[in-house]
Amino acid sequence: MNRHLLSINDLSANEALMLLDTASELRKISDGPMKKLPTLRGLTVVNLFYEDSTRTRISFESAAKRLSADVINFSAKGSSVSKGESLKDTAQTLQAMGADAVVIRHSASGAAQRLADSGWIAASVINAGDGTHEHPTQALLDAFTIREHFPDHQRSFSGLNVAIVGDILHSRVARSNVLLLTKLGASVTLVAPPTLLPVGVESWPVTYSFNLDEVVSEVDVVMMLRVQQERMHDSFFPTAREYSRSFGLSGSRLARIKSGGIVMHPGPMNRGLEISAESADAVNSVVLEQVANGVLIRMSVLYSLLGGVPLVTEMGAVDAR
Ligand code: CP
């Protein structure tokens, strides 16, 4: 596997499945008496966050600690970045502190790639969300969650229909999910107003629709996206009420989802805008499962990038080192 995880394009389908399998094995171990594994003892993971985060930052911290790594949390707010320090100088400072992995979130698309290609640091770089580009560990935890709800699709998502709904234009979650879900064989439909579909979407391996009512009862997975108002420097829909009426997951749309179908949202949710409280808290909403699975997936990624041997040996035994 590649030394960095910058994009879902860094992974073959088999490598992605291996990360999901490793997360499954890590769950079995975590459910046992040994909550903490010694695997990454002596290694240092730096969380380098230039943008706000709750789920991703905390789950990477939790994942690293559960593998016994030392963790340094760096947030741009309150650091020398606010005094004008560059990414290069910050990275070289982390290198001098002995970082073995840097988990970076940045508002600029391509920031993680820049850090990995720069030669400023020797550490593995993990993209925790770069601008509107990608959020690969979110897509992996989403695929892991889907796989758990569709046991007939452990090795392939062929035959599964997924709708990704809402602010596709600004969504790194949508881009990474389109790449991963289609790599695994799923059929993906994007549902959004024309203003919130990216230019060139015709070349993506998806179908798209402007009508949620036509799609919602046809798919196995309804993945709602946050309306990213902080990235909107223009008017993309007439009013919040109008957006919610056309593209929100209301109680009446929730009722039309197939039996066995699930509702996903990467969080944070705008309740009352893209998703009603009733839908967010529904029995078939897996939002909190996504959060819990995020820790397992990030353990799997850190374990795999930082040199962990496969957890399932040829003998079928678990090797927790
Ligand atoms: N899904 C996600 O990336 O959430 P945070 O912004 O809270 O990390």
Side-chain angles (χ1 to χ4, degrees), residues 216-272:
V216 77
S217 55
E218 301 298 316
V219 295
D220 304 291
V221 176
V222 181
M223 184 182 291
M224 303 306 297
L225 296 176
R226 183 169 69 87
V227 174
Q228 299 196 33
Q229 300 184 68
E230 76 279 15
R231 295 192 209 276
M232 291 185 179
H233 308 297
D234 220 329
S235 179
F236 289 90
F237 43 82
T239 62
R241 193 183 163 92
E242 174 61 27
Y243 179 86
S244 189
R245 194 165 54 211
S246 301
F247 295 98
L249 188 61
S250 59
S252 59
R253 289 187 176 124
L254 174 75
R256 295 182 51 228
I257 292 177
K258 281 183 187 176
S259 166
I262 58 172
V263 174
M264 306 182 79
H265 192 303
M269 295 185 278
N270 294 308
R271 286 174 182 249

Side-chain angles (χ1 to χ4, degrees), residues 138-155:
Q138 178 71 43
L140 286 162
L141 76 86
D142 289 340
F144 184 84
T145 306
I146 291 171
R147 200 169 75 151
E148 290 208 306
H149 283 269
F150 297 94
D152 293 343
H153 293 272
Q154 294 303 297
R155 309 317 298 169

